[in-house]
PDB file of all heavy atoms in Angstrom:
ATOM      1  N   THR A  56       9.420  -0.427  -0.677  1.00  0.00           N
ATOM      2  CA  THR A  56       9.649  -1.254  -1.853  1.00  0.00           C
ATOM      3  C   THR A  56       8.874  -0.750  -3.063  1.00  0.00           C
ATOM      4  O   THR A  56       8.718  -1.461  -4.051  1.00  0.00           O
ATOM      5  CB  THR A  56       9.261  -2.713  -1.565  1.00  0.00           C
ATOM      6  OG1 THR A  56       7.896  -2.761  -1.142  1.00  0.00           O
ATOM      7  CG2 THR A  56      10.148  -3.300  -0.475  1.00  0.00           C
ATOM      8  N   PHE A  57       8.399   0.478  -2.985  1.00  0.00           N
ATOM      9  CA  PHE A  57       7.640   1.065  -4.090  1.00  0.00           C
ATOM     10  C   PHE A  57       8.579   1.851  -4.990  1.00  0.00           C
ATOM     11  O   PHE A  57       9.341   2.680  -4.510  1.00  0.00           O
ATOM     12  CB  PHE A  57       6.543   1.983  -3.552  1.00  0.00           C
ATOM     13  CG  PHE A  57       5.739   2.669  -4.620  1.00  0.00           C
ATOM     14  CD1 PHE A  57       4.817   1.948  -5.379  1.00  0.00           C
ATOM     15  CD2 PHE A  57       5.888   4.022  -4.881  1.00  0.00           C
ATOM     16  CE1 PHE A  57       4.066   2.564  -6.358  1.00  0.00           C
ATOM     17  CE2 PHE A  57       5.139   4.650  -5.850  1.00  0.00           C
ATOM     18  CZ  PHE A  57       4.227   3.927  -6.604  1.00  0.00           C
ATOM     19  N   SER A  58       8.505   1.596  -6.286  1.00  0.00           N
ATOM     20  CA  SER A  58       9.320   2.303  -7.269  1.00  0.00           C
ATOM     21  C   SER A  58       8.421   3.197  -8.110  1.00  0.00           C
ATOM     22  O   SER A  58       7.475   2.716  -8.736  1.00  0.00           O
ATOM     23  CB  SER A  58      10.046   1.306  -8.173  1.00  0.00           C
ATOM     24  OG  SER A  58      10.915   0.494  -7.431  1.00  0.00           O
ATOM     25  N   ILE A  59       8.751   4.468  -8.130  1.00  0.00           N
ATOM     26  CA  ILE A  59       7.929   5.438  -8.856  1.00  0.00           C
ATOM     27  C   ILE A  59       8.103   5.284 -10.353  1.00  0.00           C
ATOM     28  O   ILE A  59       9.220   5.161 -10.855  1.00  0.00           O
ATOM     29  CB  ILE A  59       8.297   6.866  -8.419  1.00  0.00           C
ATOM     30  CG1 ILE A  59       7.904   7.091  -6.958  1.00  0.00           C
ATOM     31  CG2 ILE A  59       7.611   7.897  -9.318  1.00  0.00           C
ATOM     32  CD1 ILE A  59       8.468   8.371  -6.370  1.00  0.00           C
ATOM     33  N   ASN A  60       6.964   5.352 -11.069  1.00  0.00           N
ATOM     34  CA  ASN A  60       6.993   5.419 -12.528  1.00  0.00           C
ATOM     35  C   ASN A  60       6.785   6.861 -12.960  1.00  0.00           C
ATOM     36  O   ASN A  60       7.660   7.478 -13.557  1.00  0.00           O
ATOM     37  CB  ASN A  60       5.914   4.515 -13.121  1.00  0.00           C
ATOM     38  CG  ASN A  60       5.894   4.579 -14.636  1.00  0.00           C
ATOM     39  OD1 ASN A  60       6.936   4.626 -15.270  1.00  0.00           O
ATOM     40  ND2 ASN A  60       4.691   4.580 -15.211  1.00  0.00           N
ATOM     41  N   VAL A  61       5.618   7.397 -12.619  1.00  0.00           N
ATOM     42  CA  VAL A  61       5.298   8.803 -12.895  1.00  0.00           C
ATOM     43  C   VAL A  61       4.618   9.379 -11.651  1.00  0.00           C
ATOM     44  O   VAL A  61       3.771   8.721 -11.043  1.00  0.00           O
ATOM     45  CB  VAL A  61       4.360   8.954 -14.105  1.00  0.00           C
ATOM     46  CG1 VAL A  61       3.988  10.419 -14.317  1.00  0.00           C
ATOM     47  CG2 VAL A  61       5.012   8.385 -15.367  1.00  0.00           C
ATOM     48  N   MET A  62       4.972  10.600 -11.312  1.00  0.00           N
ATOM     49  CA  MET A  62       4.400  11.257 -10.135  1.00  0.00           C
ATOM     50  C   MET A  62       4.107  12.697 -10.491  1.00  0.00           C
ATOM     51  O   MET A  62       4.850  13.306 -11.284  1.00  0.00           O
ATOM     52  CB  MET A  62       5.372  11.167  -8.962  1.00  0.00           C
ATOM     53  CG  MET A  62       4.790  11.512  -7.615  1.00  0.00           C
ATOM     54  SD  MET A  62       5.953  11.033  -6.298  1.00  0.00           S
ATOM     55  CE  MET A  62       4.988  11.414  -4.831  1.00  0.00           C
ATOM     56  N   GLY A  63       3.036  13.247  -9.917  1.00  0.00           N
ATOM     57  CA  GLY A  63       2.750  14.623 -10.260  1.00  0.00           C
ATOM     58  C   GLY A  63       1.497  15.152  -9.612  1.00  0.00           C
ATOM     59  O   GLY A  63       1.035  14.635  -8.588  1.00  0.00           O
ATOM     60  N   TRP A  64       0.975  16.207 -10.223  1.00  0.00           N
ATOM     61  CA  TRP A  64      -0.133  16.966  -9.642  1.00  0.00           C
ATOM     62  C   TRP A  64      -1.253  17.183 -10.658  1.00  0.00           C
ATOM     63  O   TRP A  64      -0.996  17.463 -11.835  1.00  0.00           O
ATOM     64  CB  TRP A  64       0.376  18.326  -9.166  1.00  0.00           C
ATOM     65  CG  TRP A  64       1.373  18.229  -8.059  1.00  0.00           C
ATOM     66  CD1 TRP A  64       2.730  18.150  -8.167  1.00  0.00           C
ATOM     67  CD2 TRP A  64       1.085  18.187  -6.665  1.00  0.00           C
ATOM     68  NE1 TRP A  64       3.303  18.067  -6.933  1.00  0.00           N
ATOM     69  CE2 TRP A  64       2.316  18.086  -5.987  1.00  0.00           C
ATOM     70  CE3 TRP A  64      -0.093  18.227  -5.914  1.00  0.00           C
ATOM     71  CZ2 TRP A  64       2.402  18.028  -4.592  1.00  0.00           C
ATOM     72  CZ3 TRP A  64      -0.003  18.174  -4.532  1.00  0.00           C
ATOM     73  CH2 TRP A  64       1.221  18.073  -3.882  1.00  0.00           C
ATOM     74  N   TYR A  65      -2.453  17.078 -10.155  1.00  0.00           N
ATOM     75  CA  TYR A  65      -3.660  17.444 -10.871  1.00  0.00           C
ATOM     76  C   TYR A  65      -4.416  18.421  -9.983  1.00  0.00           C
ATOM     77  O   TYR A  65      -4.149  18.522  -8.793  1.00  0.00           O
ATOM     78  CB  TYR A  65      -4.513  16.208 -11.161  1.00  0.00           C
ATOM     79  CG  TYR A  65      -3.878  15.253 -12.154  1.00  0.00           C
ATOM     80  CD1 TYR A  65      -2.826  14.429 -11.759  1.00  0.00           C
ATOM     81  CD2 TYR A  65      -4.321  15.171 -13.460  1.00  0.00           C
ATOM     82  CE1 TYR A  65      -2.226  13.556 -12.664  1.00  0.00           C
ATOM     83  CE2 TYR A  65      -3.734  14.304 -14.373  1.00  0.00           C
ATOM     84  CZ  TYR A  65      -2.690  13.505 -13.960  1.00  0.00           C
ATOM     85  OH  TYR A  65      -2.104  12.646 -14.861  1.00  0.00           O
ATOM     86  N   ARG A  66      -5.360  19.142 -10.562  1.00  0.00           N
ATOM     87  CA  ARG A  66      -6.150  20.066  -9.762  1.00  0.00           C
ATOM     88  C   ARG A  66      -7.593  20.060 -10.214  1.00  0.00           C
ATOM     89  O   ARG A  66      -7.906  19.722 -11.357  1.00  0.00           O
ATOM     90  CB  ARG A  66      -5.572  21.480  -9.847  1.00  0.00           C
ATOM     91  CG  ARG A  66      -5.710  22.150 -11.213  1.00  0.00           C
ATOM     92  CD  ARG A  66      -4.975  23.486 -11.228  1.00  0.00           C
ATOM     93  NE  ARG A  66      -5.126  24.173 -12.508  1.00  0.00           N
ATOM     94  CZ  ARG A  66      -4.486  25.293 -12.829  1.00  0.00           C
ATOM     95  NH1 ARG A  66      -3.641  25.851 -11.952  1.00  0.00           N
ATOM     96  NH2 ARG A  66      -4.684  25.850 -14.006  1.00  0.00           N
ATOM     97  N   GLN A  67      -8.443  20.454  -9.273  1.00  0.00           N
ATOM     98  CA  GLN A  67      -9.872  20.526  -9.560  1.00  0.00           C
ATOM     99  C   GLN A  67     -10.445  21.762  -8.910  1.00  0.00           C
ATOM    100  O   GLN A  67     -10.403  21.901  -7.678  1.00  0.00           O
ATOM    101  CB  GLN A  67     -10.603  19.271  -9.074  1.00  0.00           C
ATOM    102  CG  GLN A  67     -12.035  19.197  -9.522  1.00  0.00           C
ATOM    103  CD  GLN A  67     -12.631  17.815  -9.330  1.00  0.00           C
ATOM    104  OE1 GLN A  67     -12.121  16.999  -8.567  1.00  0.00           O
ATOM    105  NE2 GLN A  67     -13.720  17.543 -10.023  1.00  0.00           N
TER     106      GLN A  67
END
Side-chain angles (χ1 to χ4, degrees):
T56 57
F57 178 73
S58 298
I59 293 169
N60 179 40
V61 177
M62 194 168 184
W64 296 91
Y65 292 76
R66 68 186 182 187
Q67 189 166 19

